[in-house]
Amino acid sequence: MSIAGKIAVVTGGSRGIGRAICLKLAAMGATVIVNYVGNQAAAEETAAAIRQQGGTAEVSRFNVADPAETEAALKKVQDDHGRIDILVNNAGITRDGLLMKMKDEQWDEVLNTNLKGAFTCIRAVSRVMMKQRWGRIINISSVIGFAGNAGQVNYAAAKAGMVGLTRSVAKELASRNITVNGVAPGYIVTDMTKDLPAEITEKIKAEIPLGTLGEADDVAAAVAYLAGEEARYVTGQFIHVNGGMFMG
């Protein structure tokens, strides 16, 4: 599963699932660009952890919700390294609330980061990948994008939109040997979920056939497969990493 010599950009790579993905791709030999927007210390910790395990990493601050900022940052990566081989669109936010009480700002912030941000990153890297005639684009959706969830209409819409984005771009770029796939995590142990009250955690587990929450490394393993040559004939697909919570 080596991707030695490849340049991988992981948005939202400083913590949680993003950090696990960064560590996994680096362990496979890629030079990893750890994107962050607000927590430089966490991003530097991720990069340091990669270097400690013998890998190569650097950090890059840009807000995927800002197209100009994103395009400039990705151009710099291309200028510095001469190529971009792997893009993982992992950056995401939540602004939960019931439909009747949801403000326009809550909707716009989530859609601009979680969906438009992925579009902007894909558009920026597609040019260099087409010239290379090789690329791997991996979009991180969510079980919520497939099953829906009360109180998360903005998040569900953005993550469902990621599915259509993935499949459409897969068809556009396939002739240039660029695959575009997605991973849809279920409930994963992260900073956001580990502090949930015990009764809520147990209720969630009861809805999962495997009876437990997933780990960030479970998601990273799926990304690793899609990033390598073993998945060369897989495009426009989603891997569901959810313990059986949703079977689509």
Side-chain angles (χ1 to χ4, degrees), residues 37-226:
V37 66
N39 194 336
Q40 182 177 355
E44 295 288 0
E45 287 175 9
T46 300
I50 288 171
R51 296 182 192 115
Q52 188 172 20
Q53 69 179 17
T56 305
E58 60 188 62
V59 302
S60 177
R61 187 204 172 280
F62 60 91
N63 183 355
V64 298
D66 184 326
E69 189 172 294
T70 298
E71 289 172 5
L74 291 174
K75 184 179 184 304
K76 185 178 186 304
V77 173
Q78 181 183 344
D79 291 344
D80 290 348
H81 297 278
R83 59 192 301 116
I84 297 175
D85 301 288
I86 299 163
L87 168 67
V88 182
N89 283 308
N90 171 73
I93 61 172
T94 56
R95 298 289 185 268
D96 295 347
L98 294 174
L99 170 68
M100 295 297 291
K101 296 182 178 180
M102 183 169 289
K103 295 180 171 59
D104 289 349
E105 291 80 4
Q106 289 173 279
W107 175 271
D108 291 343
E109 286 179 20
V110 170
L111 270 290
N112 285 340
T113 296
N114 297 15
L115 184 56
K116 186 178 179 181
F119 158 76
T120 301
C121 290
I122 292 170
R123 184 176 61 183
V125 305
S126 63
R127 298 181 183 94
V128 62
M129 287 184 177
M130 289 174 73
K131 290 178 182 177
Q132 296 166 182
R133 301 191 70 85
W134 198 97
R136 298 286 186 267
I137 297 171
I138 302 157
N139 297 320
I140 307 302
S141 181
S142 168
V143 64
I144 302 303
F146 289 84
N149 197 36
Q152 289 191 301
V153 294
N154 48 2
Y155 185 79
K159 292 301 187 179
M162 189 83 85
V163 178
L165 175 68
T166 298
R167 291 174 175 162
S168 297
V169 178
K171 290 187 175 183
E172 289 193 22
L173 300 183
S175 65
R176 299 300 182 96
N177 196 34
I178 301 166
T179 65
V180 187
N181 293 290
V183 177
Y187 282 94
I188 305 297
V189 177
T190 64
D191 291 342
M192 288 190 293
T193 60
K194 71 180 182 181
D195 295 327
L196 288 173
E199 60 271 21
I200 294 179
T201 300
E202 290 306 312
K203 183 178 179 182
I204 291 171
K205 288 180 180 179
E207 298 175 0
I208 301 172
L210 285 180
T212 186
L213 302 186
E215 301 287 342
D217 285 342
D218 297 323
V219 181
V223 172
Y225 165 67
L226 293 172

Side-chain angles (χ1 to χ4, degrees), residues 11 15 29 32 35 42 48 92 128 205 210 217 245:
T11 68
R15 295 181 297 172
V32 178
N35 160 254
V128 62
K205 288 180 180 179
L210 285 180
D217 285 342
M245 184 178 180

